[in-house]
Amino acid sequence: MSLAPDIPECLARARADLRMGVPVVFETHGGGALVLAAETLTPARLSELMKLPGRAELALTARRAETLKARPYDGDLARLPLPADATPQWVRALADPADDLRHPMKGPLMALRSGDATLHRLALKLAKSARLLPAALLLPLDHAAAFAQAWNLTLLPAGETALHIDRPSPMASVVSARLPLEVSEAGRLHVFRPADGGEEHYAVEIGRPDRSAPVLARLHSACFTGDVLGSLKCDCGPQLRGALGHMGEEGAGVLLYLNQEGRGIGLANKMRAYSLQDQGFDTVEANHRLGFEDDERDFRLGAELLQRLGFSSVRLLTNNPAKIEMMRRNGIEVVERVPLKVGETAYNRAYLATKAAKSGHLL
Ligand SMILES: Nc1nc2c(ncn2[C@@H]2O[C@H](COP(=O)(O)OP(=O)(O)OP(=O)(O)O)[C@@H](O)[C@H]2O)c(=O)[nH]1
Ligand SMILES: [Zn+2]
């Protein structure tokens, strides 16, 4: 076994690098590209980039491009040539919709038609998985490995990276301990840690559920604002407590607390979405303006954790049909959907209505 990091470990490094503003390098057979996240671009690094030979391109998702009226010729993304006089503010304004309404015209933006978008696609996935705005600068490189070595940058072989980036990392069960709760003294918390250094996820077990029968289960996605602060903008806090309360009453259940804040876009991006909602956009439109899909979560993770805990069949507490579908597709039988309608407020009424209208939530 080698002491060197494998691909998922290099990916974890690359995410950390991009979050700090450090570039990373993709290597292909014929060359590669230097990659910088738009969100963390500094004036110093942009000016270094512009001294290098070649023309950098800004990759944006088709969602973001649509708002900016740039043509996404590559289908799911658009590539914009970096102007010779580009500033960090120019890059930032294209990546971040915060000022779209105040400064609406950024164009006309001429997207590139010819050329290959494979590395751009990979860079956008990487930025998303680093919980950054999905926008990245790429500069083609002829000798990627030598360039990475000269600048001490993380080098990712593009082909293998593409195979790994969509795969959930294997989870290790780290620890499990008794945790008496208000809803039940027979509580237990299990902590799971992904091999790639990503977010840990938790399972709260109530009582001693029978592994051979369907278990009352909830897949809860982290919501710092709702779960911890009691935000009125969503129904997460009441749903969390309602689900645990239900399990306490039945004396058995399992709640997975998945650290997929903001439907998988991270807290900073969720707060950007909230800001856009204050400008009049709904929860789905706000995600799109930021360049994300409606929901960026990966529920395969929930199925895996249930299996790891020994469960194969659930009575699922949810209003979201996508969760049921995902469970079924990943080997967990859903014998019943148990509705979880709690916590409607004057503030979240429109949010819940949008989820029903646009995301297929059951009322
Ligand atoms: N991006 C974004 N995320 C939000 C917003 N409001 C709440 N969230 C997040 O949405 C997720 C809600 O997750 P869940 O409780 O699993 O809700 P759900 O998918 O609606 O499904 P059920 O509650 O099971 O019906 C949490 O991660 C919240 O942080 C929002 O306006 N924008
Ligand atoms: Zn919430």
PDB file of all heavy atoms in Angstrom, residues 39-62:
ATOM      1  N   GLU A  39     -15.460  32.168  -6.430  1.00  0.00           N
ATOM      2  CA  GLU A  39     -15.840  32.757  -5.144  1.00  0.00           C
ATOM      3  C   GLU A  39     -14.631  33.193  -4.312  1.00  0.00           C
ATOM      4  O   GLU A  39     -14.702  34.182  -3.586  1.00  0.00           O
ATOM      5  CB  GLU A  39     -16.684  31.749  -4.347  1.00  0.00           C
ATOM      6  CG  GLU A  39     -17.052  32.274  -2.985  1.00  0.00           C
ATOM      7  CD  GLU A  39     -18.072  31.415  -2.236  1.00  0.00           C
ATOM      8  OE1 GLU A  39     -18.676  30.501  -2.817  1.00  0.00           O
ATOM      9  OE2 GLU A  39     -18.236  31.694  -1.032  1.00  0.00           O
ATOM     10  N   THR A  40     -13.541  32.429  -4.398  1.00  0.00           N
ATOM     11  CA  THR A  40     -12.391  32.722  -3.534  1.00  0.00           C
ATOM     12  C   THR A  40     -11.224  33.330  -4.307  1.00  0.00           C
ATOM     13  O   THR A  40     -10.094  33.360  -3.826  1.00  0.00           O
ATOM     14  CB  THR A  40     -11.936  31.430  -2.816  1.00  0.00           C
ATOM     15  OG1 THR A  40     -11.776  30.395  -3.799  1.00  0.00           O
ATOM     16  CG2 THR A  40     -12.937  30.986  -1.774  1.00  0.00           C
ATOM     17  N   LEU A  41     -11.511  33.840  -5.500  1.00  0.00           N
ATOM     18  CA  LEU A  41     -10.459  34.441  -6.335  1.00  0.00           C
ATOM     19  C   LEU A  41      -9.946  35.733  -5.700  1.00  0.00           C
ATOM     20  O   LEU A  41     -10.737  36.605  -5.346  1.00  0.00           O
ATOM     21  CB  LEU A  41     -11.046  34.755  -7.719  1.00  0.00           C
ATOM     22  CG  LEU A  41     -10.078  35.319  -8.748  1.00  0.00           C
ATOM     23  CD1 LEU A  41      -9.067  34.254  -9.165  1.00  0.00           C
ATOM     24  CD2 LEU A  41     -10.859  35.813  -9.972  1.00  0.00           C
ATOM     25  N   THR A  42      -8.641  35.854  -5.557  1.00  0.00           N
ATOM     26  CA  THR A  42      -8.070  37.091  -5.007  1.00  0.00           C
ATOM     27  C   THR A  42      -7.473  37.912  -6.152  1.00  0.00           C
ATOM     28  O   THR A  42      -7.113  37.362  -7.202  1.00  0.00           O
ATOM     29  CB  THR A  42      -6.932  36.781  -4.002  1.00  0.00           C
ATOM     30  OG1 THR A  42      -5.929  36.030  -4.698  1.00  0.00           O
ATOM     31  CG2 THR A  42      -7.442  35.999  -2.806  1.00  0.00           C
ATOM     32  N   PRO A  43      -7.338  39.240  -5.955  1.00  0.00           N
ATOM     33  CA  PRO A  43      -6.722  40.067  -7.008  1.00  0.00           C
ATOM     34  C   PRO A  43      -5.321  39.559  -7.354  1.00  0.00           C
ATOM     35  O   PRO A  43      -4.938  39.516  -8.526  1.00  0.00           O
ATOM     36  CB  PRO A  43      -6.652  41.457  -6.362  1.00  0.00           C
ATOM     37  CG  PRO A  43      -7.700  41.446  -5.290  1.00  0.00           C
ATOM     38  CD  PRO A  43      -7.801  40.034  -4.805  1.00  0.00           C
ATOM     39  N   ALA A  44      -4.551  39.136  -6.347  1.00  0.00           N
ATOM     40  CA  ALA A  44      -3.176  38.690  -6.600  1.00  0.00           C
ATOM     41  C   ALA A  44      -3.162  37.454  -7.493  1.00  0.00           C
ATOM     42  O   ALA A  44      -2.381  37.368  -8.452  1.00  0.00           O
ATOM     43  CB  ALA A  44      -2.480  38.378  -5.270  1.00  0.00           C
ATOM     44  N   ARG A  45      -4.044  36.505  -7.210  1.00  0.00           N
ATOM     45  CA  ARG A  45      -4.030  35.275  -8.020  1.00  0.00           C
ATOM     46  C   ARG A  45      -4.576  35.540  -9.421  1.00  0.00           C
ATOM     47  O   ARG A  45      -4.101  34.956 -10.393  1.00  0.00           O
ATOM     48  CB  ARG A  45      -4.790  34.159  -7.310  1.00  0.00           C
ATOM     49  CG  ARG A  45      -3.959  33.592  -6.147  1.00  0.00           C
ATOM     50  CD  ARG A  45      -4.274  32.128  -5.873  1.00  0.00           C
ATOM     51  NE  ARG A  45      -3.272  31.537  -5.005  1.00  0.00           N
ATOM     52  CZ  ARG A  45      -3.343  31.507  -3.673  1.00  0.00           C
ATOM     53  NH1 ARG A  45      -4.353  32.055  -3.048  1.00  0.00           N
ATOM     54  NH2 ARG A  45      -2.382  30.928  -2.972  1.00  0.00           N
ATOM     55  N   LEU A  46      -5.557  36.426  -9.532  1.00  0.00           N
ATOM     56  CA  LEU A  46      -6.067  36.745 -10.868  1.00  0.00           C
ATOM     57  C   LEU A  46      -4.966  37.402 -11.694  1.00  0.00           C
ATOM     58  O   LEU A  46      -4.770  37.077 -12.872  1.00  0.00           O
ATOM     59  CB  LEU A  46      -7.298  37.665 -10.786  1.00  0.00           C
ATOM     60  CG  LEU A  46      -7.890  38.066 -12.133  1.00  0.00           C
ATOM     61  CD1 LEU A  46      -8.376  36.843 -12.922  1.00  0.00           C
ATOM     62  CD2 LEU A  46      -9.040  39.062 -11.976  1.00  0.00           C
ATOM     63  N   SER A  47      -4.181  38.286 -11.077  1.00  0.00           N
ATOM     64  CA  SER A  47      -3.153  38.958 -11.886  1.00  0.00           C
ATOM     65  C   SER A  47      -2.044  37.967 -12.265  1.00  0.00           C
ATOM     66  O   SER A  47      -1.511  38.038 -13.368  1.00  0.00           O
ATOM     67  CB  SER A  47      -2.645  40.226 -11.206  1.00  0.00           C
ATOM     68  OG  SER A  47      -1.609  39.949 -10.347  1.00  0.00           O
ATOM     69  N   GLU A  48      -1.742  36.993 -11.401  1.00  0.00           N
ATOM     70  CA  GLU A  48      -0.777  35.931 -11.783  1.00  0.00           C
ATOM     71  C   GLU A  48      -1.314  35.114 -12.948  1.00  0.00           C
ATOM     72  O   GLU A  48      -0.595  34.786 -13.886  1.00  0.00           O
ATOM     73  CB  GLU A  48      -0.522  34.971 -10.606  1.00  0.00           C
ATOM     74  CG  GLU A  48       0.459  35.489  -9.563  1.00  0.00           C
ATOM     75  CD  GLU A  48       1.802  35.882 -10.158  1.00  0.00           C
ATOM     76  OE1 GLU A  48       2.360  35.102 -10.965  1.00  0.00           O
ATOM     77  OE2 GLU A  48       2.282  36.995  -9.849  1.00  0.00           O
ATOM     78  N   LEU A  49      -2.598  34.789 -12.856  1.00  0.00           N
ATOM     79  CA  LEU A  49      -3.240  33.978 -13.897  1.00  0.00           C
ATOM     80  C   LEU A  49      -3.130  34.693 -15.247  1.00  0.00           C
ATOM     81  O   LEU A  49      -2.847  34.085 -16.282  1.00  0.00           O
ATOM     82  CB  LEU A  49      -4.713  33.765 -13.539  1.00  0.00           C
ATOM     83  CG  LEU A  49      -5.575  32.999 -14.534  1.00  0.00           C
ATOM     84  CD1 LEU A  49      -5.228  31.522 -14.508  1.00  0.00           C
ATOM     85  CD2 LEU A  49      -7.058  33.179 -14.247  1.00  0.00           C
ATOM     86  N   MET A  50      -3.345  36.018 -15.220  1.00  0.00           N
ATOM     87  CA  MET A  50      -3.366  36.755 -16.479  1.00  0.00           C
ATOM     88  C   MET A  50      -1.977  36.938 -17.081  1.00  0.00           C
ATOM     89  O   MET A  50      -1.856  37.274 -18.259  1.00  0.00           O
ATOM     90  CB  MET A  50      -4.103  38.075 -16.275  1.00  0.00           C
ATOM     91  CG  MET A  50      -5.586  37.758 -16.072  1.00  0.00           C
ATOM     92  SD  MET A  50      -6.608  39.112 -15.571  1.00  0.00           S
ATOM     93  CE  MET A  50      -7.069  39.813 -17.093  1.00  0.00           C
ATOM     94  N   LYS A  51      -0.939  36.679 -16.272  1.00  0.00           N
ATOM     95  CA  LYS A  51       0.428  36.746 -16.829  1.00  0.00           C
ATOM     96  C   LYS A  51       0.791  35.462 -17.567  1.00  0.00           C
ATOM     97  O   LYS A  51       1.765  35.407 -18.313  1.00  0.00           O
ATOM     98  CB  LYS A  51       1.426  36.939 -15.680  1.00  0.00           C
ATOM     99  CG  LYS A  51       1.461  38.352 -15.130  1.00  0.00           C
ATOM    100  CD  LYS A  51       2.572  38.438 -14.098  1.00  0.00           C
ATOM    101  CE  LYS A  51       2.207  39.424 -13.014  1.00  0.00           C
ATOM    102  NZ  LYS A  51       2.843  39.115 -11.736  1.00  0.00           N
ATOM    103  N   LEU A  52       0.042  34.381 -17.301  1.00  0.00           N
ATOM    104  CA  LEU A  52       0.377  33.090 -17.904  1.00  0.00           C
ATOM    105  C   LEU A  52      -0.068  33.051 -19.358  1.00  0.00           C
ATOM    106  O   LEU A  52      -1.030  33.727 -19.730  1.00  0.00           O
ATOM    107  CB  LEU A  52      -0.302  31.954 -17.125  1.00  0.00           C
ATOM    108  CG  LEU A  52       0.177  31.770 -15.672  1.00  0.00           C
ATOM    109  CD1 LEU A  52      -0.749  30.823 -14.918  1.00  0.00           C
ATOM    110  CD2 LEU A  52       1.608  31.256 -15.640  1.00  0.00           C
ATOM    111  N   PRO A  53       0.628  32.246 -20.190  1.00  0.00           N
ATOM    112  CA  PRO A  53       0.204  32.157 -21.596  1.00  0.00           C
ATOM    113  C   PRO A  53      -1.152  31.467 -21.715  1.00  0.00           C
ATOM    114  O   PRO A  53      -1.507  30.644 -20.866  1.00  0.00           O
ATOM    115  CB  PRO A  53       1.304  31.310 -22.248  1.00  0.00           C
ATOM    116  CG  PRO A  53       2.047  30.655 -21.144  1.00  0.00           C
ATOM    117  CD  PRO A  53       1.819  31.444 -19.894  1.00  0.00           C
ATOM    118  N   GLY A  54      -1.903  31.839 -22.741  1.00  0.00           N
ATOM    119  CA  GLY A  54      -3.225  31.225 -22.955  1.00  0.00           C
ATOM    120  C   GLY A  54      -4.317  32.119 -22.416  1.00  0.00           C
ATOM    121  O   GLY A  54      -4.050  33.105 -21.732  1.00  0.00           O
ATOM    122  N   ARG A  55      -5.538  31.760 -22.743  1.00  0.00           N
ATOM    123  CA  ARG A  55      -6.691  32.576 -22.354  1.00  0.00           C
ATOM    124  C   ARG A  55      -7.550  31.782 -21.374  1.00  0.00           C
ATOM    125  O   ARG A  55      -7.971  30.671 -21.686  1.00  0.00           O
ATOM    126  CB  ARG A  55      -7.502  32.905 -23.615  1.00  0.00           C
ATOM    127  CG  ARG A  55      -8.687  33.787 -23.382  1.00  0.00           C
ATOM    128  CD  ARG A  55      -8.398  35.162 -23.950  1.00  0.00           C
ATOM    129  NE  ARG A  55      -9.472  36.115 -23.729  1.00  0.00           N
ATOM    130  CZ  ARG A  55     -10.201  36.638 -24.714  1.00  0.00           C
ATOM    131  NH1 ARG A  55     -10.010  36.290 -25.951  1.00  0.00           N
ATOM    132  NH2 ARG A  55     -11.146  37.529 -24.423  1.00  0.00           N
ATOM    133  N   ALA A  56      -7.777  32.374 -20.199  1.00  0.00           N
ATOM    134  CA  ALA A  56      -8.611  31.684 -19.212  1.00  0.00           C
ATOM    135  C   ALA A  56     -10.074  31.786 -19.598  1.00  0.00           C
ATOM    136  O   ALA A  56     -10.481  32.700 -20.317  1.00  0.00           O
ATOM    137  CB  ALA A  56      -8.370  32.274 -17.834  1.00  0.00           C
ATOM    138  N   GLU A  57     -10.869  30.829 -19.115  1.00  0.00           N
ATOM    139  CA  GLU A  57     -12.312  30.820 -19.377  1.00  0.00           C
ATOM    140  C   GLU A  57     -13.049  30.692 -18.052  1.00  0.00           C
ATOM    141  O   GLU A  57     -12.592  29.992 -17.149  1.00  0.00           O
ATOM    142  CB  GLU A  57     -12.672  29.615 -20.263  1.00  0.00           C
ATOM    143  CG  GLU A  57     -12.072  29.719 -21.645  1.00  0.00           C
ATOM    144  CD  GLU A  57     -12.205  28.433 -22.454  1.00  0.00           C
ATOM    145  OE1 GLU A  57     -12.919  27.507 -22.028  1.00  0.00           O
ATOM    146  OE2 GLU A  57     -11.574  28.372 -23.523  1.00  0.00           O
ATOM    147  N   LEU A  58     -14.178  31.380 -17.968  1.00  0.00           N
ATOM    148  CA  LEU A  58     -15.010  31.276 -16.770  1.00  0.00           C
ATOM    149  C   LEU A  58     -16.130  30.275 -17.064  1.00  0.00           C
ATOM    150  O   LEU A  58     -16.894  30.460 -18.014  1.00  0.00           O
ATOM    151  CB  LEU A  58     -15.604  32.642 -16.410  1.00  0.00           C
ATOM    152  CG  LEU A  58     -16.557  32.662 -15.218  1.00  0.00           C
ATOM    153  CD1 LEU A  58     -15.837  32.291 -13.920  1.00  0.00           C
ATOM    154  CD2 LEU A  58     -17.216  34.038 -15.064  1.00  0.00           C
ATOM    155  N   ALA A  59     -16.195  29.222 -16.248  1.00  0.00           N
ATOM    156  CA  ALA A  59     -17.256  28.217 -16.417  1.00  0.00           C
ATOM    157  C   ALA A  59     -18.387  28.523 -15.449  1.00  0.00           C
ATOM    158  O   ALA A  59     -18.158  28.746 -14.257  1.00  0.00           O
ATOM    159  CB  ALA A  59     -16.700  26.820 -16.134  1.00  0.00           C
ATOM    160  N   LEU A  60     -19.597  28.579 -16.000  1.00  0.00           N
ATOM    161  CA  LEU A  60     -20.808  28.818 -15.196  1.00  0.00           C
ATOM    162  C   LEU A  60     -21.816  27.719 -15.517  1.00  0.00           C
ATOM    163  O   LEU A  60     -21.848  27.230 -16.646  1.00  0.00           O
ATOM    164  CB  LEU A  60     -21.440  30.164 -15.559  1.00  0.00           C
ATOM    165  CG  LEU A  60     -20.602  31.419 -15.359  1.00  0.00           C
ATOM    166  CD1 LEU A  60     -21.301  32.609 -16.010  1.00  0.00           C
ATOM    167  CD2 LEU A  60     -20.380  31.699 -13.869  1.00  0.00           C
ATOM    168  N   THR A  61     -22.657  27.368 -14.556  1.00  0.00           N
ATOM    169  CA  THR A  61     -23.681  26.360 -14.862  1.00  0.00           C
ATOM    170  C   THR A  61     -24.716  26.976 -15.800  1.00  0.00           C
ATOM    171  O   THR A  61     -24.872  28.201 -15.866  1.00  0.00           O
ATOM    172  CB  THR A  61     -24.411  25.883 -13.587  1.00  0.00           C
ATOM    173  OG1 THR A  61     -25.148  26.979 -13.034  1.00  0.00           O
ATOM    174  CG2 THR A  61     -23.443  25.354 -12.545  1.00  0.00           C
ATOM    175  N   ALA A  62     -25.442  26.098 -16.491  1.00  0.00           N
ATOM    176  CA  ALA A  62     -26.490  26.593 -17.406  1.00  0.00           C
ATOM    177  C   ALA A  62     -27.529  27.392 -16.626  1.00  0.00           C
ATOM    178  O   ALA A  62     -28.086  28.360 -17.149  1.00  0.00           O
ATOM    179  CB  ALA A  62     -27.145  25.420 -18.130  1.00  0.00           C
TER     180      ALA A  62
END
